[in-house]
Amino acid sequence: MQFDTLGKSELKISSIIMGTWQAGKEMWVGIDDTQTTGAIRAALDAGVTTFDTAEAYGKGHSERILGAALSDVRDRVVLATKVFANRLKFDQVIEACHKSLKNLKTDYIDLYQIHWPSGSFGGKKVPVEETMAAMNKLKAQGKIRAIGMSNFSRVQLEEAAQFGPVDSLQPPYSLFWRHVENDAMSYCVENKITILAYSPMAQGLLTGKFGPNHQFQKGDHRSKNRLFQPENYQRVQQALTRLRPIADNLGVSLGQLALAWVLSHPRTCAIAGARTADQAALNAAAAGVSLSEKVLRQMDEIGHLVTNYLDENPVMWRF
Ligand SMILES: NC(=O)c1ccc[n+]([C@@H]2O[C@H](COP(=O)([O-])OP(=O)(O)OC[C@H]3O[C@@H](n4cnc5c(N)ncnc54)[C@H](OP(=O)(O)O)[C@@H]3O)[C@@H](O)[C@H]2O)c1
């Protein structure tokens, strides 16, 4: 495993972070709590020290599963969670944090993130200054150790950073979803803000496991992912056909190739979601895969077969 400093904080995070949206069950199908706990422990055994969750994942279920799974090793792990976009007033943030602390069975959260900017999903706008005041208070009290943003544009990030130190940005980022490169990435690199790439395997697509005629079960939100829509899906399959021999030559899986590509970027870690112990262990091993300049150039060209046809909308789903 590789380790990076989180932003300007003193926290050390693993370059592969385990994502636990799946653990919340809602919007996924066939998730089993015992299997999830096994996946979390497998990630830990494989060297992952950093885990990402959110109050919104299954209304706290993901946080509760994670807290229970890691309570005996709390001092060895870094826990990142998020407050949702509809709870960004000062008192709401304080209340949400206390709830997350309880769910996670801990008295401090390492990284507390604003999940989506205020006003997202038609919600009411709260000035970011007010939300940051709550975050700063929680930090001064030792209840959180670092502050991060998720799904923020560069402009929104710059605005938030006026009101307190921001240590991370969590955007969608994979070989097939590269909007952050043209927006916040350079600002993050220049300002020591760590990029925590979510959906780094394009929600499983980059593992090559979904064939040309794949249909998700009812209730699996991935059917709303724009990469899975017919206008993009054929190009995705063509790109995967070209990525496969590269992975084979390196003796790695397609998913590991996709994660290693994300990790090849400066100040960037990958939040890999997993539902099973096998997936979690394979994903952790991607931290040991290094890609040559030649391979990176080839992958860049292949990724553009998909990304050149995407519009400017940085949100991956049509909810
Ligand atoms: N901030 C945000 O708004 C936001 C949004 C999305 C995600 N996230 C965070 O980022 C994490 C990761 O994103 P994500 O789950 O959307 O996408 P992802 O990590 O790109 O893909 C995860 C999915 O890929 C499949 N997979 C994972 N490892 C695999 C392996 N080794 N072999 C084969 N298949 C594998 C699994 O699909 P199956 O379930 O079909 O097995 C898994 O559910 C989330 O858990 C969450 O913590 C944050």
Side-chain angles (χ1 to χ4, degrees), residues 17-23 28-29 31 51-54 57 82 113-116 150-151 170-172 174 197-207 209-210 216 220-222 253 255-256 259 271-276 278-283 316-317:
I17 296 164
M18 181 172 172
T20 63
W21 183 6
Q22 290 75 357
W28 298 83
V29 174
I31 302 289
F51 295 81
D52 179 73
T53 181
Y57 297 163
K82 317 181 190 83
Q113 305 159 98
I114 302 179
H115 202 152
W116 288 86
S150 178
N151 296 300
Q170 184 176 143
S174 73
Y198 79 66
S199 305
M201 292 169 283
Q203 300 214 283
L205 203 45
L206 273 159
T207 68
K209 66 196 229 173
F210 301 125
F216 284 107
D220 192 324
H221 75 280
R222 289 177 291 184
S253 68
Q256 288 172 328
L259 292 171
I271 309 179
R275 74 165 71 209
T276 68
D278 287 351
Q279 289 180 353
L282 274 170
N283 297 346
M316 221 167 34
W317 304 273

Side-chain angles (χ1 to χ4, degrees), residues 298-314:
Q298 287 173 329
M299 291 180 73
D300 185 61
E301 190 196 315
I302 297 169
H304 281 126
L305 294 174
V306 175
T307 56
N308 282 351
Y309 296 89
L310 298 172
D311 61 26
E312 298 292 303
N313 183 352

Side-chain angles (χ1 to χ4, degrees), residues 218-236:
K218 199 166 170 279
D220 192 324
H221 75 280
R222 289 177 291 184
S223 61
K224 307 257 177 24
N225 185 314
R226 290 160 65 208
L227 289 170
F228 287 93
Q229 307 311 313
E231 67 269 24
N232 295 319
Y233 202 58
Q234 205 183 345
R235 282 188 285 273
V236 160

Side-chain angles (χ1 to χ4, degrees), residues 152-172:
F152 274 46
S153 68
R154 176 188 176 130
V155 170
Q156 290 165 329
L157 195 57
E158 283 188 68
E159 193 194 350
Q162 288 173 26
F163 303 109
V166 175
D167 285 309
S168 62
L169 172 69
Q170 184 176 143

Side-chain angles (χ1 to χ4, degrees), residues 113-276:
Q113 305 159 98
I114 302 179
H115 202 152
W116 288 86
S118 113
S120 300
F121 311 109
K124 233 178 141 200
K125 279 243 179 198
V126 176
V128 74
E129 182 175 6
E130 178 176 340
T131 310
M132 283 298 286
M135 302 292 258
N136 289 331
K137 181 173 178 186
L138 290 165
K139 197 170 166 191
Q141 291 174 330
K143 292 179 180 169
I144 67 173
R145 296 198 162 168
I147 299 169
M149 306 295 144
S150 178
N151 296 300
F152 274 46
S153 68
R154 176 188 176 130
V155 170
Q156 290 165 329
L157 195 57
E158 283 188 68
E159 193 194 350
Q162 288 173 26
F163 303 109
V166 175
D167 285 309
S168 62
L169 172 69
Q170 184 176 143
Y173 186 40
S174 73
L175 189 60
F176 291 164
W177 204 267
R178 302 173 64 168
H179 294 76
V180 69
E181 289 180 356
N182 301 322
D183 184 44
M185 188 176 253
S186 58
Y187 176 80
C188 290
V189 172
E190 283 157 21
N191 291 282
K192 294 195 174 163
I193 294 174
T194 303
I195 296 170
L196 308 175
Y198 79 66
S199 305
M201 292 169 283
Q203 300 214 283
L205 203 45
L206 273 159
T207 68
K209 66 196 229 173
F210 301 125
N213 301 314
H214 184 76
Q215 295 285 332
F216 284 107
Q217 287 184 58
K218 199 166 170 279
D220 192 324
H221 75 280
R222 289 177 291 184
S223 61
K224 307 257 177 24
N225 185 314
R226 290 160 65 208
L227 289 170
F228 287 93
Q229 307 311 313
E231 67 269 24
N232 295 319
Y233 202 58
Q234 205 183 345
R235 282 188 285 273
V236 160
Q237 294 299 331
Q238 284 162 0
L240 286 168
T241 306
R242 290 189 51 191
L243 288 170
R244 210 163 258 121
I246 299 178
D248 290 347
N249 271 340
L250 293 170
V252 301
S253 68
L254 271 172
Q256 288 172 328
L257 185 71
L259 292 171
W261 180 86
V262 167
L263 297 187
S264 73
H265 295 85
R267 274 198 195 283
T268 305
C269 296
I271 309 179
R275 74 165 71 209
T276 68

